[in-house]
Amino acid sequence: MAKDKSVFSPIGAWKYLTKKPVTIPKTLVFDTPREASDNYRGFHINDWDKCVGCGTCAEICPTNAINMIEIPTLEQSKGNKPERPAIDYGRCSFCALCVDICTSDSLSMSKEYIHLSKDADTFYFLPEIDGIHEIEYKDGYVRDEVSELLDLERYKMDEIKHDGRAESFMEIIKGYSKEMAIAEASRCVECGICTFTCPAHMNIPEYIKSVWTENMEEGIDYLYKTNPLSNVCGRVCTHTCESACVIGNRGKPVAIRWLKRYIIDNTPKEDFERVVLSNVSEKINGKVGIIGGGPAGLSCAYYLRTLGYEVDIYEEKPLLGGAVRYGVPEYRLPEESVKEDVEMIRKMGVNFIVNTKVGRDISFDEIKNTHDAVFSGTGNWIPKKLRVKNVDHPDIRFAAKFLQESRDYSRNLGEMPEFEDDLIVIGGGDVSFDVARSLLRLQTIKNGKTNIKFIARKPSQFLACDPEEFEEGTEEGLKFHLDRSPVEILIDDNNKIYGVKVARCTSVMTESGKAKTTCTDETEEIYAKEVFMSVGSDPDFEYFTDEIIDNLEISRNKIKVKEDGQVEGYPWLFAGGDITRGPDIITAVADGHKAAMGIDEYLYNKAKNKN
Amino acid sequence: MKEVKLFLGPQHPGMHGNYSVHMYVDGDIIKKANPMPGMLHRGFEKLMERRYWMGNIALIPRICVVEPDINEMVYAMGVEKLAKIEVPERAHWIRMIILELARLAIHLMSFGGIGGPTGLYTASYWSVADRDLILDIFEKITGARVYHMYIVAGGVRKDLPKGIEEEIIKFLDYIETRFPEYEELILKNPIIHARLKDNILLPKEVVHELGVTGIGMRSAFNKANDIRKVKPYARYDQVEFDVPFGPYSDAYTRVSYKLIEMKQSVRIIRQSLEKMPKEGPVRVSYSTGNAIRWTVPSGMVYPVIESSRGEYGYLMVSDGSDKPYRIAVRGASYPQGLLGVEKYLPGHRIDDASIWMATMDVCAPEIDR
């Protein structure tokens, strides 16, 4: 082969004389760098308006190049951490996993790829919208649905199908199977933004991880650190955590509430008891009286017991649990669940004194004199009334009383409440749906058919209730009259109610975003034989002594208290739950927890100063 | 006669990668050779155990610098076997295109690289410039030039950009016009003939003894032992290509086989572009949840593919968690690069040492890992 070459073969190489070199001169590289391809992985861009500081990019980064830096100018808010990713280009390998997993769609990469500096610190950089050198550069690598690293779809929860659902008070939600729960738990990115949002600051990422690692006892432990009513909250919490969940920025949030419920439902009873009761301390010399055995009172009692105090709970009704025992209907919260939570607290050694209304059966002073500190969590039980004509008619029914009757009926402790077969429910919040859907079930049980008209001032997307309630209510056959503001309860000559006169609403908000209903003059009449009203409720402070009532700072029916629930001017008196904040269960639980710590602090200092 | 100790590498232009051989020479004959790995040891196998299954794709390509895609492919195959998932059809073909482009790139580099130890620098200049055109294509497809991080478990990371097929075909047409030029420049060059013909032989017994695979094995054994033929992965069973093999292995044969394989790679890419489904998914998820919590079912697999230097595989063990339990890398050039250097480099002349390294296909990083 080599010998075949002719003498003239070098002439063949002459054609290269006319060709240009492929090497790019150095000067050109810096002055006019070659434009990179369309999905080039260059330096990072981070849109701070979208970024929520969840830190998932830092978590996945294989080279640990990303640090979350606290930004003093940013404020922590719901669903947003005041942190932003800073990237160390000494470590970064430009793999773009951070871009693929970004929960808020804020990170991307530009086509910029040249950075020269003698100063090593410039390679550590906090990306913003304008890139590393603040020169306009085109976007390079962006995530698409193929390179997606998050799981945006929630795993479907089994429910009882809506046909036939309204025939009984069976719980609608069936709960996750093990496989489903682990799959759902694997969607969590452990950012902890939910923890900040939760009123009780529950250790949400930790217990979700316990589900994922199948370590139920650890999960229980995490739950009870901040919430002794986990069984209840796993079913009927308002789950503000889920609305803050970062997965919800682009997809459906993690089903935090159902996972909590899964832990409670799937831990063997003896393990559960062992874990919870291991928190109880030796009794110490201190006695606390708690007025009202609702979520706030129970939570306060639990944490005081873990600190070793003796606790007495005074409850006016025969059963503990307050709003969760006498308010929430059975199909959302089975009796068993509340019972378990309450029993657990009883087992810890808390004294329950039931059927005892403070101010009627026992005076407030007596409680004060026999205890070192008092916590009051009596909640809101006096129904509010709309300011419409004829609202004082005695036949109008209100939510609190009806729900108690209905709840007692469903747990076989009372008769079926009386009702007509043609009804109107006025409301719009969760409670009004509880009323309407309980009535649906009662009507079905009694007559086999339903006729319930639901009047609310707001359109469906602005209703104050959980969207699920509206959906399920529609499935079950509520007849909605939305955007209607009641103006008069219609009464005939025999002083019987025969309907409600409503005006059409045009907007429920002023332009500045304040809530204000504006209605037209156009009215219509909706007929029914009975009207249920569920538009909120007010607290009852009658049991306090007159002197305390005079000194309480009450604004908009809420007692003003310090951060830990201590009432101004009365260091031994603490309050929490719906009478101070509200209005949901988890807030009450949080208040109880805080008050327990406040009481402990107060009694500790008191004892210290004595000696 | 006194022996002199000479260092070949790690800073020697004739050395492949940061690798060093301590040679004891008598005159110009090597009497003893001590391979000194370790300059490149980054502890990959341990690092992989500390990273998420997905996070590893940023680390793995670095095991072999010039041919990163084989690592991604092996890793992805392993995870797919463990998780028992089927990759979408289109992804298989995209992977083949990527792998064959990568084979072209590394063969160009090592084929032209023979110019280094022989002093024929034109070859190196040409081949590196042509290889850059492949990197341009990679950049358009994957977003990076060298470490692509593109083949992931369950498919590929992104779909092919629009119009890339024409660009690939354009490049293939161009590179096919270059092959005769390379042949003229390198294979028909009298200097190359003088230096490479009948030099650095690789007998059958040595192949057996060391466990050499790839071109070295095929050129000595007279058998087409190519994993793409013997144990096809991706869709290699659906494309036609030939594998060069022969009974006599000297340095020249081994270099010339690279050119033949390049021509075959071009054939494979052309067929892939034709047979590929034009639409369809390119990635499936192998676990639930987000990438931080992807788990792989427990088990142990040894996926293996044909790299430019021979059989390349990972022994992967999973215990069902979110990180690998153990991954051991079987570098294709481990046998000849470590044991071979020690045993069979002595007896050659000093000036052949770097040719030995080049034509035996020693790739330092996969020895060091």
Side-chain angles (χ1 to χ4, degrees):
Chain A
M1 271 159 55
K3 293 184 179 66
D4 298 347
K5 284 212 165 189
S6 77
V7 182
F8 299 107
S9 62
I11 295 170
W14 286 6
K15 62 181 179 201
Y16 291 97
L17 286 173
T18 57
K19 290 205 172 172
K20 277 197 177 140
V22 291
T23 322
I24 304 170
K26 188 175 149 192
T27 48
L28 282 183
V29 171
F30 293 123
D31 297 344
T32 52
R34 186 186 74 100
E35 189 181 304
S37 65
D38 281 344
N39 55 0
Y40 188 75
R41 303 200 293 255
F43 296 124
H44 294 75
I45 299 173
N46 188 17
D47 185 348
W48 278 31
D49 295 339
K50 287 183 182 169
C51 181
V52 295
C54 66
T56 315
C57 44
E59 180 61 35
I60 188 111
C61 182
T63 55
N64 291 341
I66 304 183
N67 288 320
M68 298 306 287
I69 301 281
E70 269 200 43
I71 311 289
T73 53
L74 293 175
E75 288 216 348
Q76 175 139 20
S77 62
K78 181 182 168 179
N80 206 329
K81 250 192 219 172
E83 292 184 346
R84 293 294 178 262
I87 297 169
D88 182 354
Y89 284 127
R91 301 186 67 111
C92 178
S93 65
F94 298 93
C95 64
L97 287 178
C98 48
V99 177
D100 285 344
I101 205 168
C102 179
T103 57
S104 59
D105 217 0
S106 68
L107 261 186
S108 62
M109 284 171 145
S110 69
K111 291 185 178 183
E112 193 175 3
Y113 55 89
I114 292 178
H115 175 71
L116 275 175
S117 173
K118 286 181 182 171
D119 181 8
D121 288 345
T122 60
F123 287 78
Y124 188 49
F125 147 75
L126 191 68
E128 288 181 47
I129 191 80
D130 46 8
I132 190 166
H133 296 132
E134 301 181 359
I135 318 167
E136 273 296 310
Y137 255 97
K138 288 180 192 158
D139 262 4
Y141 187 95
V142 286
R143 186 196 53 253
D144 58 14
E145 62 278 358
V146 180
S147 65
E148 177 67 71
L149 296 184
L150 290 176
D151 195 347
L152 297 175
E153 280 308 309
R154 187 180 274 208
Y155 289 84
K156 199 89 193 92
M157 175 61 106
D158 262 6
E159 293 184 4
I160 301 179
K161 291 285 170 288
H162 61 84
D163 41 342
R165 184 165 72 194
E167 287 169 11
S168 73
F169 281 87
M170 271 267 288
E171 194 178 13
I172 295 171
I173 304 290
K174 287 181 175 172
Y176 275 134
S177 65
K178 182 172 176 176
E179 195 185 347
M180 287 282 226
I182 291 171
E184 183 64 34
S186 68
R187 296 176 60 221
C188 165
V189 293
E190 289 179 68
C191 63
I193 281 177
C194 42
T195 302
F196 170 80
T197 314
C198 174
H201 301 311
M202 293 188 73
N203 308 35
I204 296 164
E206 287 86 349
Y207 70 68
I208 292 184
K209 191 160 186 174
S210 307
V211 174
W212 185 61
T213 54
E214 303 174 46
N215 186 346
M216 288 298 139
E217 285 183 45
E218 189 189 48
I220 293 279
D221 208 25
Y222 276 123
L223 289 178
Y224 269 79
K225 271 192 196 339
T226 48
N227 187 344
L229 295 177
S230 293
N231 208 332
V232 171
C233 288
R235 286 174 159 82
V236 293
C237 183
T238 43
H239 58 74
T240 45
C241 49
E242 288 182 29
S243 53
C245 176
V246 294
I247 310 290
N249 290 336
R250 294 199 285 111
K252 288 264 185 301
V254 179
I256 298 171
R257 183 171 49 160
W258 301 148
L259 288 171
K260 179 170 11 177
R261 170 187 163 149
Y262 171 84
I263 296 178
I264 298 277
D265 288 359
N266 292 280
T267 312
K269 228 176 159 49
E270 52 274 16
D271 285 352
F272 189 108
E273 265 184 43
R274 192 180 61 242
V275 173
V276 176
L277 298 182
S278 67
N279 297 330
V280 184
S281 316
E282 286 284 303
K283 281 202 172 160
I284 57 173
N285 186 12
K287 206 165 175 206
V288 181
I290 290 177
I291 305 170
L298 287 171
S299 158
C300 186
Y302 173 88
Y303 289 108
L304 286 169
R305 261 320 278 121
T306 60
L307 293 164
Y309 292 94
E310 272 188 74
V311 186
D312 297 335
I313 298 187
Y314 295 89
E315 168 62 49
E316 83 173 286
K317 299 195 175 70
L319 295 170
L320 270 276
V324 291
R325 202 72 176 264
Y326 287 96
V328 185
E330 191 98 12
Y331 61 86
R332 274 175 63 198
L333 178 60
E335 182 66 12
E336 269 312 300
S337 309
V338 197
K339 212 165 155 178
E340 269 176 34
D341 274 348
V342 172
E343 275 310 301
M344 201 53 73
I345 291 170
R346 185 200 303 275
K347 276 182 186 148
M348 295 178 71
V350 175
N351 303 324
F352 293 161
I353 299 148
V354 291
N355 294 325
T356 309
K357 188 173 161 76
V358 178
R360 187 186 64 191
D361 307 320
I362 184 168
S363 74
F364 186 78
D365 276 339
E366 195 177 329
I367 294 179
K368 191 210 148 187
N369 295 335
T370 49
H371 296 90
D372 299 321
V374 177
F375 174 81
S376 164
T378 46
N380 297 346
W381 290 92
I382 302 176
K384 274 198 173 97
K385 293 182 177 183
L386 285 175
R387 270 168 289 182
V388 297
K389 202 173 158 192
N390 297 333
V391 76
D392 293 326
H393 192 281
D395 286 355
I396 294 181
R397 310 268 297 264
F398 290 99
K401 190 160 174 297
F402 164 73
L403 284 173
Q404 277 182 55
E405 290 166 0
S406 141
R407 183 88 205 211
D408 271 341
Y409 163 73
S410 63
R411 61 175 161 241
N412 302 326
L413 286 179
E415 296 295 312
M416 181 182 282
E418 289 186 10
F419 53 88
E420 301 285 345
D421 45 18
D422 177 10
L423 307 162
I424 286 180
V425 177
I426 301 173
D430 281 330
V431 178
S432 59
F433 275 91
D434 288 347
V435 173
R437 293 175 67 194
S438 295
L439 281 165
L440 264 175
R441 282 162 173 72
L442 292 170
Q443 278 191 344
T444 316
I445 292 166
K446 197 172 159 188
N447 317 325
K449 60 183 199 303
T450 67
N451 185 359
I452 294 169
K453 306 179 184 77
F454 191 100
I455 301 177
R457 269 203 299 220
K458 295 180 178 175
S460 60
Q461 69 268 31
F462 289 120
L463 284 177
C465 66
D466 197 321
E468 288 168 9
E469 291 278 342
F470 180 74
E471 279 168 39
E472 291 171 1
T474 315
E475 284 171 3
E476 288 167 9
L478 293 179
K479 296 169 191 159
F480 286 101
H481 296 269
L482 300 178
D483 296 330
R484 301 285 188 280
S485 178
V487 285
E488 186 187 345
I489 310 285
L490 302 167
I491 297 175
D492 62 9
D493 305 341
N494 307 335
N495 199 13
K496 279 258 186 298
I497 294 176
Y498 71 92
V500 178
K501 191 176 188 178
V502 294
R504 200 189 166 81
C505 297
T506 47
S507 80
V508 290
M509 237 183 249
T510 56
E511 285 185 3
S512 58
K514 272 198 179 147
K516 186 175 182 300
T517 323
T518 44
C519 297
T520 55
D521 296 337
E522 167 195 355
T523 60
E524 56 180 310
E525 295 187 351
I526 300 170
Y527 303 113
K529 294 179 188 161
E530 201 167 16
V531 173
F532 284 77
M533 202 174 278
S534 164
V535 289
S537 51
D538 289 336
D540 175 6
F541 298 135
E542 288 302 305
Y543 58 89
F544 285 126
T545 56
D546 296 348
E547 177 234 353
I548 292 179
I549 292 182
D550 292 345
N551 292 334
L552 282 182
E553 263 190 80
I554 299 176
S555 68
R556 304 186 65 181
N557 279 326
K558 306 254 185 254
I559 303 177
K560 192 163 174 288
V561 291
K562 289 183 188 163
E563 183 56 30
D564 59 359
Q566 200 169 32
V567 177
E568 203 73 48
Y570 297 92
W572 50 269
L573 179 58
F574 290 72
D578 280 356
I579 57 172
T580 60
R581 282 198 300 169
D584 56 12
I585 297 160
I586 190 74
T587 312
V589 169
D591 282 352
H593 192 176
K594 278 186 197 147
M597 294 194 284
I599 290 171
D600 183 47
E601 178 116 347
Y602 158 71
L603 291 179
Y604 173 76
N605 289 333
K606 196 169 129 185
K608 205 168 70 171
N609 297 337
K610 236 181 219 169
N611 306 338
Chain B
M1 183 68 211
K2 199 163 175 250
E3 280 184 348
V4 180
K5 187 180 179 187
L6 285 182
F7 290 177
L8 178 69
Q11 315 288 21
H12 191 281
M15 191 66 211
H16 283 232
N18 303 358
Y19 189 60
S20 154
V21 179
H22 293 188
M23 301 185 297
Y24 297 87
V25 294
D26 179 2
D28 65 349
I29 303 291
I30 303 168
K31 287 286 180 200
K32 199 165 89 168
N34 281 343
M36 287 283 168
M39 330 269 171
L40 263 175
H41 177 69
R42 286 153 289 174
F44 283 115
E45 295 178 350
K46 200 69 198 165
L47 286 174
M48 283 188 220
E49 297 165 17
R50 309 291 178 88
R51 272 160 186 67
Y52 297 118
W53 284 104
M54 187 71 195
N56 269 328
I57 70 152
L59 174 73
I60 281 170
R62 289 170 167 73
I63 296 179
C64 182
V65 184
V66 275
E67 198 186 14
D69 305 87
I70 51 168
N71 299 281
E72 296 171 20
M73 182 69 187
V74 173
Y75 184 76
M77 279 166 64
V79 174
E80 285 149 15
K81 269 188 192 171
L82 284 166
K84 297 186 178 56
I85 52 162
E86 192 44 57
V87 178
E89 185 66 17
R90 185 172 156 84
H92 276 307
W93 294 98
I94 296 178
R95 283 174 173 193
M96 273 169 65
I97 293 168
I98 296 279
L99 286 171
E100 291 309 313
L101 280 171
R103 193 183 307 277
L104 264 175
I106 184 157
H107 274 336
L108 268 174
M109 200 158 180
S110 56
F111 182 67
I114 199 68
T118 50
L120 182 66
Y121 288 119
T122 312
S124 320
Y125 299 152
W126 280 12
S127 63
V128 169
D130 284 344
R131 176 175 171 268
D132 232 50
L133 298 172
I134 302 178
L135 299 190
D136 284 347
I137 292 174
F138 276 139
E139 188 191 329
K140 287 196 175 77
I141 297 177
T142 68
R145 294 179 73 80
V146 178
Y147 297 127
H148 311 131
M149 302 166 203
Y150 183 66
I151 297 173
V152 295
V156 292
R157 213 163 145 191
K158 268 179 182 283
D159 209 337
L160 291 178
K162 280 196 177 61
I164 195 74
E165 289 90 349
E166 287 80 42
E167 292 201 28
I168 296 175
I169 288 176
K170 211 169 100 191
F171 164 75
L172 295 181
D173 293 341
Y174 164 78
I175 201 81
E176 277 188 332
T177 63
R178 299 285 290 162
F179 286 149
E181 301 255 3
Y182 278 117
E183 214 163 332
E184 287 282 333
L185 178 75
I186 298 172
L187 295 182
K188 292 184 180 172
N189 190 313
I191 299 172
I192 296 279
H193 269 256
R195 296 285 304 274
L196 267 58
K197 269 272 194 220
D198 302 327
N199 192 6
I200 310 175
L201 299 181
L202 182 62
K204 217 168 164 175
E205 303 75 54
V206 176
V207 171
H208 254 305
E209 178 194 354
L210 295 177
V212 180
T213 47
I215 287 179
M217 177 178 169
R218 290 195 289 273
S219 58
F221 258 69
N222 205 10
K223 273 202 187 122
N225 259 336
D226 187 312
I227 292 171
R228 290 174 297 171
K229 286 279 190 200
V230 179
K231 204 175 153 189
Y233 49 97
R235 289 287 175 264
Y236 279 108
D237 47 350
Q238 295 181 24
V239 290
E240 288 176 10
F241 64 100
D242 301 325
V243 178
F245 58 91
Y248 175 74
S249 178
D250 61 0
Y252 184 84
T253 324
R254 291 197 295 272
V255 171
S256 62
Y257 277 14
K258 285 181 181 167
L259 186 66
I260 301 169
E261 287 204 354
M262 274 198 266
K263 289 174 180 170
Q264 299 304 322
S265 287
V266 171
R267 263 181 81 188
I268 295 174
I269 298 171
R270 283 191 194 282
Q271 290 174 62
S272 302
L273 286 170
E274 259 172 50
K275 293 193 171 182
M276 191 166 76
K278 296 290 169 279
E279 298 275 292
V282 293
R283 186 175 146 235
V284 292
S285 188
Y286 54 88
S287 177
T288 57
N290 63 61
I292 295 171
R293 292 206 169 159
W294 282 353
T295 54
V296 171
S298 52
M300 182 158 78
V301 288
Y302 177 64
V304 63
I305 69 168
E306 180 73 27
S307 78
S308 68
R309 298 171 302 283
E311 180 183 315
Y312 193 90
Y314 283 2
L315 174 77
M316 296 170 75
V317 187
S318 167
D319 60 351
S321 71
D322 54 346
K323 298 185 178 76
Y325 179 74
R326 173 85 171 95
I327 294 182
V329 181
R330 195 258 180 213
S333 57
Y334 194 89
Q336 65 266 41
L338 205 67
L339 316 168
V341 167
E342 193 160 22
K343 193 161 180 185
Y344 293 103
L345 185 59
H348 291 96
R349 291 167 47 204
I350 308 173
D351 41 5
D352 287 345
S354 47
I355 299 183
W356 198 101
M357 287 283 173
T359 62
M360 285 285 189
D361 282 327
V362 177
C363 173
E366 66 186 23
I367 298 167
D368 268 359
R369 299 200 285 274

